Amino acid sequence: MLGIETSCDETAAAVVRDGRDMISSTVATQAERHAPYGGVVPEIASRAHVELVTEVIARALVEAGVDLFDVDAIAACHGPGLAGALLVGVSAAKSLALVTGRPYVGVNHHEGHMYAALLDDPTLEPPFVTLVASGGHTLLIAMRGHGRYETLGQTVDDAAGEAFDKVARFLGLGYPGGPVIDALATRGDPEAVAFPRPMLDDGFDFSFSGLKTAVVTYCRRHPDLDVADIAASFQAAVVDVLVTKLVRAARSAQLDTIVIGGGVAANSGLRARVAEEGAREGLRVVVPGIGLCTDNAAMIASCAFYRLAADGPTPLDSGVRPGLRL
Ligand code: KG4
Ligand code: ZN
């Protein structure tokens, strides 16, 4: 399976065998192009994908040691994401499908993030509970089987990654905010400021907008603050809410495996805490490698293998679906 991912600001391609075996994975990040604007600029993203996609696909094939005609099917993320950005990957995948006569498979980006764990741990099989935390979404899902998802909770306002990015922007730390806050937090005191843990005891939904406002309000009142302490205290609050709900969801769904995915799952504090809490609760914990958590095409190719087996090819006249839900 050749997979292509262009939903946001990474241009990625990968070759995966049988949904589990990652043979190659290439990611060209556009972060520096968007950094001056403090966030992803859709038109810049689309143009960069157009410029990069052919080379990235070629590199994935060369690194896998395969020819285009060795590939059995071609997949692309068709949503959710930026319409113009999605169009580049979907058009590339459909063109290659037409040229080779192979099936095309359109993949949901969130579903892709869930499959990253199956690439990381070849013995992992559903059912399990998974937390997908990215720049656009925060989802708590019981994956009962391939293609069988029960949404247990989601954000009611900002996504977890969006909160990292907005707090970083407010603190003048640049874009993307998650990695900068993560790095700063290692030097700060997570107990310096007791930021709120929104909706901690209230079901499985999340809310991060009030936490962001709490950080902004605190910083305005304490101009002499240590920015590393703010980063560590903010990160501790986000991680506390995410991990508490993930573990509680596993108990409630009576499942003994917890999994994380999405860009925020690259966070060192989250990775450590989920391993710690999972072990304490006697749960199996799967924390995919960082390159599988942030946007990549291997997760798209892995998911596409199972989608193709269950549903068959996606028609070539189906378009991009920027607002696609799970
Ligand atoms: O999954 P992803 O790469 O793209 C989307 O689907 O959105 O997630 C990107 C998000 C951004 O908000 C970024 O700040 C966040 O993931 N992120 C992190 C870390 N690395 C990326 N957040 C916290 N800690 C990190 N180390
Ligand atoms: Zn993503």
Side-chain angles (χ1 to χ4, degrees), residues 5 7-8 10 80 109-110 113 132-136 262-263 293-296 299:
E5 157 62 46
S7 65
C8 191
E10 322 280 359
H109 186 79
H110 305 316
H113 273 306
V132 177
S134 68
C293 291
T294 49
D295 284 352
N296 66 89
M299 67 186 197

Side-chain angles (χ1 to χ4, degrees), residues 5 7-10 80 109-110 113 132-137 159-166 168 175-183 234-235 238-239 261-271 290 292-296 299:
E5 157 62 46
S7 65
C8 191
D9 61 343
E10 322 280 359
H109 186 79
H110 305 316
H113 273 306
V132 177
S134 68
H137 298 269
E162 193 178 352
F164 271 95
D165 294 337
K166 286 180 175 171
Y175 173 86
V180 197
I181 289 187
D182 192 352
F234 162 73
Q235 180 172 298
V238 176
V239 167
V264 178
N267 184 268
S268 58
L270 176 62
R271 299 169 74 83
I290 287 175
L292 283 170
C293 291
T294 49
D295 284 352
N296 66 89
M299 67 186 197

Side-chain angles (χ1 to χ4, degrees), residues 64-228:
V66 297
D67 186 67
L68 183 57
F69 286 84
D70 293 331
V71 167
D72 295 320
I74 297 155
C77 168
H78 63 172
L82 303 169
L86 290 164
L87 263 173
V88 180
V90 165
S91 305
K94 288 180 180 176
S95 309
L96 296 178
L98 271 174
V99 167
T100 56
R102 305 293 194 265
Y104 158 69
V105 190
V107 172
N108 180 307
H109 186 79
H110 305 316
E111 203 181 350
H113 273 306
M114 291 195 251
Y115 274 83
L118 281 85
L119 284 167
D120 189 81
D121 181 344
T123 67
L124 177 66
E125 277 294 341
F128 52 75
V129 174
T130 177
L131 168 75
V132 177
S134 68
H137 298 269
T138 306
L139 292 165
L140 199 50
I141 308 281
M143 182 168 173
R144 303 275 179 195
H146 294 287
R148 290 178 53 217
Y149 312 116
E150 184 188 334
T151 303
L152 304 173
Q154 55 192 311
T155 184
V156 298
D157 42 52
D158 290 356
E162 193 178 352
F164 271 95
D165 294 337
K166 286 180 175 171
V167 165
R169 191 187 311 175
F170 172 75
L171 295 172
L173 301 173
Y175 173 86
V180 197
I181 289 187
D182 192 352
L184 255 180
T186 57
R187 294 197 272 109
D189 174 6
E191 289 173 8
V193 188
F195 286 126
R197 269 67 171 156
M199 298 177 74
L200 186 67
D201 299 312
D202 186 6
F204 295 122
D205 282 340
F206 302 94
S207 166
F208 292 108
S209 164
L211 171 58
K212 172 197 67 193
T213 308
V215 173
V216 170
T217 307
Y218 183 90
C219 291
R220 291 210 169 116
R221 286 193 189 138
H222 302 82
D224 54 339
L225 52 86
D226 176 355
V227 72

